[in-house]
Amino acid sequence: MSLLVVGLSHRSAPVSVLERAALSADAQIKLLQDTVAAEPAAEAAVLATCNRIELYADVDKFHAGVAELSTLLAQHSGVGLEELTPYLYVHYEDRAVHHFFSVACGLDSMVVGEGQILGQIKDALATAQELHTAGRLLNDLFQQALRVGKRAHSETGIDRAGQSLVTFGLEQLSSGAPADAWLKGKRALVIGAGSMSSLAAATLARAGVAELVVANRTFDRAERLAALLAEQYGQRPAEPDDVDVLARAVPMESVPDELTRADVVVSCTGATGLVLTADLVAEAVEGRTGAPAVERATDSGSGSVRSGLPPTSVGSEDGCPLDLSAVQGSAAQGSAVQGSAVQGASGFSVMGEAAVAGMDAATLEQHAAWVDNGTVDRREGRRTPEIDTEAVAALAAAAATLGRVPERRRPEPVAEVPRPLPVLSLLDLAMPRDIDAAVHRLLGVRLVDIESLAEASADAPMAADVDQVRRIVSDEVAAFDAAQRAAHITPTVVALRAMAADVVASEIARLDGRLPGLDDKQRGEITQTVRRVVDKLLHAPTVRVKQLAAEPGGAGYADALRTLFDLDAETVAAVSRADDDSRDHNSAALGGLDFGRENFDSNNFESAENRGRA
């Protein structure tokens, strides 16, 4: 059996596809059950976050496994296989382990170095354990990934390379200003009470918001989160740097009223539809300002005319050889002026394509000379020798062939309409989205969502510590592979020692028949001697075979050992099954030590990174 991962993430698919492919909790359960029921897969686990969906499986056939896992992902996500396939990636065996450890360390996250992924990996493992879809391989893989991720955060400065998605999103809302300073004294509304919303609430509380309201469909969970926030950040003895947060819970029906009071809103629910529509946000803005919400002017790139803007350079410069009235008339009739805005009938650029379209070669040459500060006027017989006639001829030929002339200069920048400071800042961390993307057109509203976070983080600088984390990942992948190869031969070694013990017991019994007069002391000494002889004979070969099996290409040593000692295949299989059962029991016993799934630990909810190290 071999590890296979099939998935898609923010690196392979646009947000619109990720949004449609998002899996609900019920869909994840059904996907796991159908995967292990499929022929190629013996184990399965699903890692589903706001920016990735990955299906991990232990398969016996690579091509059949890829086909089956891809089909199952398409079926349960609701996105057609043909549409989904271009965005899927596949990792197998060592590459699958390397990918997963990189994910656990935050190297593959939208915000490099964020630690929330560790809690999500823990949740994925717990779900697979509850459904009994995780066996020896996936239990080992996920437990090791958690250890690798925590090692990366504790031994390197990867935390400095990036932030949690919540902190990064809040800094985008604050336009790059320190989030704590920007949030202090504001009223905040958090919609949802899951792990991401809880992290957002803790971040807001720690920053010193004046009021924090939690809304959730299950009111009890909202109350529990608000109580923990109030306990940790609420009424305390006054100190210089103390935070005084009034945290309270409200039902989802109260969200429209709370929107009129909130300055900052963070939403991350599991809803399949919109939680905040554009109309609802517009009503909230009107409730705050007392005036109807107004949409921003459409960008010039859409082709719409932007009123209130100063005109760009008009064809009135001295010496321009164009017939301005003719060109302006053409512009007024709707000619497109690329690279500049249209202002009435005259807001065109004398250097744009429309200004020179259709010129004869002589006029084109004059215009090119004028643009380059030349003084040629062929119509009056004047010519400047500095003009590059070959370049002008080539430009004229290009115009005749292409039907247009590229601009020789960049158009002057268009003045932006002054916009008021936002009265309502919205952070949407849900996938699929909770907040209608159309609200970004409302004046006084600022929206940051997963898509805009992906764009903003694309150019984020990476710390030098990332290289150190990559080395840790490479070392841990090699160690994991060696351990798996060694573990592969362990059942054979155990079966060999069991067979040797049976031989010893059989020979001692035969000795008792031949020498019935032996007392207990004599019998014990003989038995101990025979066992020591067998152990010494087996020690060197079994230790060495484990070492050889841990090396690349060592998988065949188990078969060789079974052949040399004529070991019963069923005995080896029974030992392997017993080992798997023991691992499942131990993993379940350890399952609650590192992360909580539903329980909210007030001592560890301040940051995803802290939760990862708990």
Side-chain angles (χ1 to χ4, degrees), residues 172-442:
Q172 294 302 306
L173 281 179
S174 65
S175 300
D180 288 358
W182 177 73
L183 288 168
K184 195 170 185 63
K186 285 183 167 57
R187 293 186 296 270
L189 169 64
V190 174
I191 304 177
S195 60
M196 183 72 81
S197 299
S198 300
L199 177 61
T203 303
L204 292 166
R206 193 172 59 251
V209 294
E211 181 184 41
L212 184 56
V213 179
V214 180
N216 192 57
R217 296 190 185 280
T218 305
F219 184 64
D220 290 345
R221 295 193 65 184
E223 278 190 316
R224 188 161 61 250
L225 175 56
L228 289 169
L229 291 166
E231 177 184 349
Q232 182 155 355
Y233 297 103
Q235 310 294 334
R236 294 182 295 181
E239 296 178 3
D241 297 327
D242 210 359
V243 179
D244 187 11
V245 177
L246 174 61
R248 58 188 175 88
V250 298
M252 287 294 287
E253 294 75 19
S254 300
V255 166
D257 293 333
E258 296 297 336
L259 276 178
T260 63
R261 306 178 65 252
D263 302 306
V264 181
V265 178
V266 180
S267 185
C268 186
T269 73
T272 55
L274 293 174
V275 175
L276 299 182
T277 63
D279 290 341
L280 185 61
V281 174
E283 292 174 4
V285 173
E286 182 177 352
R288 291 176 64 91
T289 62
V294 179
E295 290 193 0
R296 295 184 175 100
T298 308
D299 293 339
S300 59
S302 64
S304 301
V305 177
R306 298 177 68 178
S307 59
L309 299 179
T312 57
S313 298
V314 238
S316 59
E317 282 91 338
D318 295 337
C320 177
L322 299 183
D323 182 352
L324 298 180
S325 60
V327 179
Q328 290 179 11
S330 174
Q333 293 172 10
S335 297
V337 181
Q338 183 175 343
S340 62
V342 179
Q343 179 69 21
S346 61
F348 67 93
S349 167
V350 295
M351 301 175 193
E353 292 182 18
V356 295
M359 275 188 192
D360 58 80
T363 309
L364 178 63
E365 182 179 337
Q366 288 180 311
H367 181 263
W370 173 78
V371 168
D372 287 335
N373 297 319
T375 58
V376 159
D377 189 343
R378 175 174 288 183
R379 290 171 297 182
E380 297 181 7
R382 294 189 297 272
R383 186 176 181 85
T384 303
E386 290 78 11
I387 298 299
D388 188 342
T389 56
E390 291 184 2
V392 172
L395 186 61
T401 303
L402 301 176
R404 63 184 180 86
V405 179
E407 288 189 291
R408 298 296 302 274
R409 292 182 182 173
R410 294 175 62 85
E412 295 182 9
V414 177
E416 291 288 337
V417 176
R419 294 176 177 174
L421 292 174
V423 297
L424 186 59
S425 299
L426 307 172
L427 177 57
D428 186 358
L429 299 175
M431 183 65 69
R433 71 189 70 194
D434 281 346
I435 304 175
D436 191 347
V439 305
H440 83 279
R441 295 199 298 262
L442 297 175

